[in-house]
Amino acid sequence: NRVKKLSFNHDEYCYNSPIPLASDGTYTIRVDSQAADEAVILEVPHTILNVKPVLTSFQDADGNSVLSGKDLASNSEFQTAWNSTGSGVVYQVSIKTALRTIYSVSTEACNIIIPASTIPAGTNYYFDIVAQKIYGDPFFITDNFYSVSVIRSASVAFNVK
């Protein structure tokens, strides 16, 4: 058991602090405050993601595969797939240039189909996957806590013709 005293953050109107986590499990957090008559005790689950999402398939409808070094056809839909990093994980998939995000979607599936003509031809792109395991509510609407573990894939560079 460790005790860490937190100060109230008046800008964010809450107590917040990262907590170094040694393992998966449920963490008990107790908040004692002069503003409340009783201590608030939270049981916060957390799972550490330690398996990176790895792209296993990335090709257009004609079968041109990025993983084989081929360019994709912009007028074709793109099919992508990756390994699972665990149960209940949300994947944020994005396609970016060096300057901006062109396409982004969140999914619990381990694959997506990007519609034809979504990604313009003639530019170098990077495909990234961010896996997140979230407990609680990051908006503090349904729960007064949240816990998140994040792990990123390696960026995969590709071209569209």
Side-chain angles (χ1 to χ4, degrees):
N1 288 340
R2 287 186 240 156
V3 175
K4 182 175 184 178
K5 184 174 180 176
L6 303 177
S7 297
F8 189 76
N9 182 323
H10 293 279
D11 294 330
E12 297 182 20
Y13 204 67
C14 65
Y15 296 93
N16 65 16
S17 175
I19 299 171
L21 302 173
S23 64
D24 295 349
T26 300
Y27 292 81
T28 302
I29 298 173
R30 177 185 169 121
V31 179
D32 291 302
S33 172
Q34 293 177 354
D37 293 333
E38 296 180 11
V40 174
I41 298 175
L42 302 171
E43 298 291 325
V44 180
H46 188 78
T47 300
I48 296 173
L49 294 177
N50 53 22
V51 176
K52 288 186 176 190
V54 176
L55 196 59
T56 57
S57 176
F58 189 3
Q59 65 185 26
D60 62 23
D62 298 326
N64 298 310
S65 173
V66 168
L67 301 180
S68 298
K70 304 282 185 181
D71 291 345
L72 301 179
S74 69
N75 62 349
S76 180
E77 72 179 19
F78 301 165
Q79 302 148 2
T80 67
W82 54 90
N83 63 304
S84 171
T85 62
S87 174
V89 173
V90 174
Y91 302 96
Q92 178 158 14
V93 179
S94 59
I95 295 177
K96 302 175 182 182
T97 66
L99 299 176
R100 66 186 182 104
T101 300
I102 303 298
Y103 179 85
S104 182
V105 66
S106 294
T107 181
E108 291 183 0
C110 290
N111 58 65
I112 60 169
I113 295 177
I114 301 167
S117 302
T118 300
I119 310 301
T123 304
N124 296 326
Y125 294 100
Y126 303 94
F127 183 93
D128 293 305
I129 306 166
V130 177
Q132 302 176 32
K133 178 69 175 184
I134 300 171
Y135 293 97
D137 179 4
F139 299 109
F140 300 110
I141 295 169
T142 59
D143 290 307
N144 57 358
F145 72 90
Y146 81 99
S147 163
V148 62
S149 179
V150 176
I151 194 164
R152 299 176 184 278
S153 70
S155 268
V156 175
F158 68 100
N159 297 307
V160 176
K161 59 180 178 177

